[in-house]
Amino acid sequence: MLQQDSNDDTEDVSLFDAEEETTNRPKKSRIRHPVASFFHLFFRVSAIIVYLLCELFSSSFIACMVTIILLLSCDFWAVKNVTGRLMVGLRWWNHIDEDGKSHWVFESRKASPQEGKTVSEAESRIFWLGLVACPVLWVVFAFSALFSFRVKWLAVVIMGVVLQGANLYGYIRCKVGSRKNLTSMATTYFGRQFLRQTTGDTQTSSGE
């Protein structure tokens, strides 16, 4: 869903329209957007629960599939358009310019030093925990359905992986910036791990 054609372009910009009342408030641990926090988890957790339990309460595969897809669709819209902007100050979207060129835009609200930080620690934990954990579960469900030959459920599970994986990818891009930053972070991490391992081996050899 987020794959770009060769003619596509991407932008990493600041969230220019952060008009919420949280802009000038200091960073706190309390939840400032309880409704957004609730619906950030409600749709995605409900989809997982329905997937796990639907066969116990209904013999209709079509009814189960439609219910899960509706919950996944509601979750995708809510997380992409509402909860990310309110809870962590991030947003990603796509627009077509006058030349017909597609642009993926990844926005991050940057508070000035005078404003202080605007993201609640509690909301940030809730947001990223739900954003990361649920797609991982859908990947597990995909392998489970594949190896247990539950072929009819594969389409539903793949829908969960795609929709929730798209939001995860989009918000990671918002958080860390462009693909070059992603590559740089990975290179730096593995470089540090290699250097730490090399240093440890050297110290062990010296001790002997």
Side-chain angles (χ1 to χ4, degrees), residues 184-199:
S184 177
M185 287 178 63
T187 303
T188 302
Y189 173 78
F190 287 114
R192 288 177 179 174
Q193 294 298 318
F194 177 77
L195 181 61
R196 189 174 301 171
Q197 182 67 30
T198 303
T199 303

Side-chain angles (χ1 to χ4, degrees), residues 5-25:
D5 295 331
S6 58
N7 294 327
D8 286 355
D9 195 10
T10 61
E11 302 176 42
D12 297 288
V13 298
S14 298
L15 189 62
F16 54 85
D17 57 347
E19 69 277 3
E20 293 80 17
E21 70 277 4
T22 61
T23 303
N24 296 316
R25 295 183 182 178

Side-chain angles (χ1 to χ4, degrees), residues 22-79:
T22 61
T23 303
N24 296 316
R25 295 183 182 178
K27 184 176 181 180
K28 295 183 179 180
S29 295
R30 66 185 180 87
I31 296 176
R32 291 200 299 256
H33 303 94
V35 176
S37 300
F38 172 78
F39 282 106
H40 177 71
L41 297 176
F42 174 75
F43 291 119
R44 54 184 47 215
V45 172
S46 296
I48 291 173
I49 293 174
V50 172
Y51 174 78
L52 293 174
L53 303 179
C54 65
E55 290 184 328
L56 298 178
F57 299 100
S58 175
S59 59
S60 173
F61 169 74
I62 299 299
C64 295
M65 180 183 68
V66 170
T67 302
I68 295 170
I69 291 177
L70 283 175
L71 288 169
L72 289 171
S73 300
C74 291
D75 170 75
F76 178 81
W77 183 90
V79 174

Side-chain angles (χ1 to χ4, degrees), residues 13-203:
V13 298
S14 298
L15 189 62
F16 54 85
D17 57 347
E19 69 277 3
E20 293 80 17
E21 70 277 4
T22 61
T23 303
N24 296 316
R25 295 183 182 178
K27 184 176 181 180
K28 295 183 179 180
S29 295
R30 66 185 180 87
I31 296 176
R32 291 200 299 256
H33 303 94
V35 176
S37 300
F38 172 78
F39 282 106
H40 177 71
L41 297 176
F42 174 75
F43 291 119
R44 54 184 47 215
V45 172
S46 296
I48 291 173
I49 293 174
V50 172
Y51 174 78
L52 293 174
L53 303 179
C54 65
E55 290 184 328
L56 298 178
F57 299 100
S58 175
S59 59
S60 173
F61 169 74
I62 299 299
C64 295
M65 180 183 68
V66 170
T67 302
I68 295 170
I69 291 177
L70 283 175
L71 288 169
L72 289 171
S73 300
C74 291
D75 170 75
F76 178 81
W77 183 90
V79 174
K80 179 179 179 294
N81 296 297
V82 180
T83 65
R85 181 168 56 91
L86 292 178
M87 296 174 69
V88 290
L90 303 174
R91 185 175 69 174
W92 64 275
W93 52 288
N94 175 268
H95 73 92
I96 308 296
D97 61 19
E98 296 178 353
D99 298 326
K101 191 175 183 181
S102 175
H103 297 266
W104 289 104
V105 183
F106 302 91
E107 299 180 328
S108 174
R109 182 194 302 137
K110 296 182 175 33
S112 66
Q114 292 79 13
E115 292 175 340
K117 296 181 180 179
T118 64
V119 177
S120 163
E121 290 180 352
E123 288 185 347
S124 180
R125 288 193 210 100
I126 292 171
F127 179 84
W128 289 106
L129 178 63
L131 195 71
V132 173
C134 292
V136 170
L137 287 176
W138 283 110
V139 171
V140 172
F141 295 157
F143 283 105
S144 175
L146 183 63
F147 292 127
S148 61
F149 302 102
R150 300 175 66 197
V151 179
K152 66 178 182 180
W153 287 102
L154 271 178
V156 178
V157 173
I158 290 173
M159 182 71 69
V161 173
V162 170
L163 290 179
Q164 297 196 354
N167 266 327
L168 176 61
Y169 175 80
Y171 281 115
I172 289 176
R173 287 290 306 274
C174 293
K175 186 71 174 177
V176 303
S178 65
R179 288 179 178 176
K180 293 181 180 179
N181 290 339
L182 281 170
T183 305
S184 177
M185 287 178 63
T187 303
T188 302
Y189 173 78
F190 287 114
R192 288 177 179 174
Q193 294 298 318
F194 177 77
L195 181 61
R196 189 174 301 171
Q197 182 67 30
T198 303
T199 303
D201 293 343
T202 302
Q203 291 177 349

